[in-house]
Amino acid sequence: MQSKSPKRPSVSLVKTICLASLFVCCIASQSRAEQLADSIRSRPELGRARQTLIAEQLRKITGWGRLDFDGDGILRPGGAAPSGGSPAARTLLASAMGGKTMLVFEDASGREDVVFCSVAEARWKTPAPDDPRVYLIRVDFADFSHLTGDKAALEAFNVGWGVLHEIEHVVNDSDDPRGKHDLGACETLMNQMRRECGLAERAEYFYSYFPGADEGEVMTKLVRLAFDKLEAGKRRRHWVVWDANLVGGVGGNVTVASSR
Ligand SMILES: [Zn+2]
């Protein structure tokens, strides 16, 4: 895949961000050691509708039919036996939920420096010796709403896949590619999950322009990302398409790139 400015989002490049009042409302009575038992959560400002969207898509991917956020914004698998879905995705989420690092979803809709999703290490406002490491997973829901294209590709590129990609960066320190023609370790694992779900696989990491879309004074800069799926023994290509002027990631000051 091609990009004017290929980015390599990785944990090693993250910025440190002050968490300010992140947990004031929901877990003030918990010690930080206790918080380690609840490793994936959302900021209260994310809201129930967006929690539901994340949970719905993660349920499809993992096969955990009762996975959801609880009233405190903590993501829980729900205890039900999986039905379908990706074993690799369940392994990753279970590892994140039981790990020693805290992951926090944040609504980053409309932010110019977030293209679909990004991850950044955060710090506690008042540090303590036993503090867990904390990573903010920012989700630009508005970016995902601008997606169009083939149904098979859209099923393989949504908020659920975006947050799993970022979780994989943190849990396994997987990297994104440096070269145009590489997929990277992180998306290679995402493709294993897509195969296990019977979905199309991402064929490239960096998006490409539609022919002519990066020339002249056009009002839109349509870009596309390729996904492949075996159908009746033949590989068929499907596309996710968006206007990079709306989503971002074209030149400028984007620090973390397309879902990535
Ligand atoms: Zn990445």
Side-chain angles (χ1 to χ4, degrees):
M1 172 171 171
Q2 296 179 354
S3 168
K4 286 290 186 183
S5 54
K7 309 298 192 301
R8 190 181 66 85
S10 83
V11 172
S12 62
L13 296 179
V14 298
K15 290 182 176 180
T16 299
I17 294 173
C18 178
L19 280 180
S21 58
L22 177 59
F23 302 126
V24 168
C25 296
C26 57
I27 57 172
S29 61
Q30 287 183 297
S31 72
R32 290 179 186 174
E34 289 171 330
Q35 292 164 20
L36 281 173
D38 304 318
S39 297
I40 305 180
R41 63 181 67 227
S42 70
R43 297 190 70 152
E45 297 82 4
L46 192 81
R48 182 58 190 161
R50 286 177 166 162
Q51 286 179 349
T52 298
L53 177 62
I54 293 173
E56 283 177 351
Q57 293 180 351
L58 290 180
R59 282 198 291 270
K60 288 183 182 175
I61 296 169
T62 62
W64 278 333
R66 296 170 67 181
L67 176 147
D68 206 349
F69 292 88
D70 69 12
D72 293 326
I74 299 164
L75 186 67
R76 300 193 184 281
S83 175
S86 161
R90 292 194 291 273
T91 297
L92 174 61
L93 266 190
S95 182
M97 289 172 170
K100 295 184 177 180
T101 300
M102 185 177 294
L103 301 169
V104 181
F105 294 129
E106 180 181 73
D107 186 355
S109 298
R111 281 183 56 157
E112 293 185 356
D113 60 338
V114 177
V115 180
F116 296 113
C117 292
S118 70
V119 64
E121 186 167 8
R123 62 180 171 80
W124 295 96
K125 189 175 181 181
T126 53
D130 64 343
D131 282 345
R133 297 186 75 174
V134 183
Y135 287 84
L136 277 181
I137 294 177
R138 301 191 187 98
V139 183
D140 191 330
F141 294 90
D143 285 352
F144 285 100
S145 74
H146 293 306
L147 293 178
T148 186
D150 299 318
K151 182 173 183 289
L154 291 168
E155 288 176 341
F157 190 79
N158 57 29
V159 170
W161 290 108
V163 299
L164 278 176
H165 179 110
E166 307 306 339
I167 291 171
E168 167 64 14
H169 275 316
V170 174
V171 172
N172 293 318
D173 200 22
S174 294
D175 214 348
D176 286 324
R178 296 175 184 273
K180 285 183 180 179
H181 303 295
D182 298 329
L183 191 61
C186 190
E187 275 301 316
T188 297
L189 179 65
M190 294 301 111
N191 273 349
Q192 178 187 336
M193 297 177 188
R194 292 180 178 111
R195 275 197 303 279
E196 292 171 345
C197 291
L199 298 177
E201 297 179 40
R202 186 166 171 175
E204 51 197 6
Y205 179 81
F206 296 106
Y207 60 71
S208 58
Y209 284 102
F210 269 93
D214 59 338
E215 300 171 359
E217 297 299 320
V218 294
M219 297 302 290
T220 59
K221 289 197 181 297
L222 291 181
V223 299
R224 61 186 183 177
L225 190 60
F227 290 78
D228 291 333
K229 188 176 183 183
L230 273 180
E231 296 173 4
K234 292 184 178 179
R235 192 189 71 161
R236 185 176 175 192
R237 179 143 290 188
H238 303 270
W239 297 97
V240 168
V241 180
W242 67 90
D243 182 354
N245 279 341
L246 297 176
V247 170
V250 180
N253 300 314
V254 177
T255 56
V256 189
S258 57
S259 188
R260 238 140 13 98

